[in-house]
Each structure stands twice: as structure tokens, then as C-alpha cells.
Amino acid sequence: LALPKWTEPKNNQGKALLDEFKFEDAAIRFEEVKKLEPTDTKGYKSMAELYMRKGVYVKALTELRAAIRMDSRNALLHANLARALQQC
């Protein structure tokens, strides 16, 4: 019997930590989301946001490209990719 993954609470925790500039703790939550749901773009999008806030745009691009491979029609992912590319 598979346990429910419930990634939304972890992702929300990560976002709250990100808002408090607790980047390492936020990254741990986002990586947990990616591990629990590797085919869901949520964790990748959140990690990209973290990297963009830190100014590490190359890593943000990697996360966004991975998310776009999973959901190529997601306009927000493409907009974030364009925003990250402008900073490189």
C-alpha cells in the first residue's frame, strides 16, 4: 500500500522558509518535494525560484528546463525561464 505523498505542505513550508531567506532549509523542503514527486514540476519550479532569489541563474535555468520537459505548455515556466535567461 503506497502512502500519500502530500507534497503541497512541504512545498509551502519551503516557500515560507524562502520568504525568511532561509535558503538551505527551503532547498531541503523543495528537494524532498522533487524526490516524492519527480514528475511534478512543483519542486523544480520552487528550486528555480530559490536560485533566482540567490542570483544563481545558471542553476535556475537547469531546474526550469527540467520542469519544462515535464510540462512544455506551462506558460509560467516559460516566463520564468525567459526571466532567468535575461539575467545570464
Side-chain angles (χ1 to χ4, degrees), residues 52-67:
M52 288 175 72
R53 286 199 194 179
K54 288 179 68 174
V56 186
Y57 297 103
V58 172
K59 287 188 176 185
L61 291 172
T62 300
E63 297 290 339
L64 288 165
R65 287 179 176 138

Side-chain angles (χ1 to χ4, degrees), residues 5-45:
K5 303 221 166 115
W6 293 330
T7 57
E8 198 64 36
K10 286 190 184 300
N11 201 59
N12 289 340
Q13 285 178 336
K15 287 181 178 186
L17 291 163
L18 185 58
D19 288 342
E20 296 174 4
F21 302 99
K22 295 180 180 178
F23 296 120
E24 289 181 29
D25 293 332
I28 290 168
R29 296 308 183 287
F30 298 147
E31 289 297 336
E32 288 173 352
V33 171
K34 287 169 52 177
K35 185 177 179 182
L36 286 169
E37 287 288 347
T39 60
D40 187 341
T41 62
K42 183 182 342 173
Y44 297 89
K45 180 179 164 285

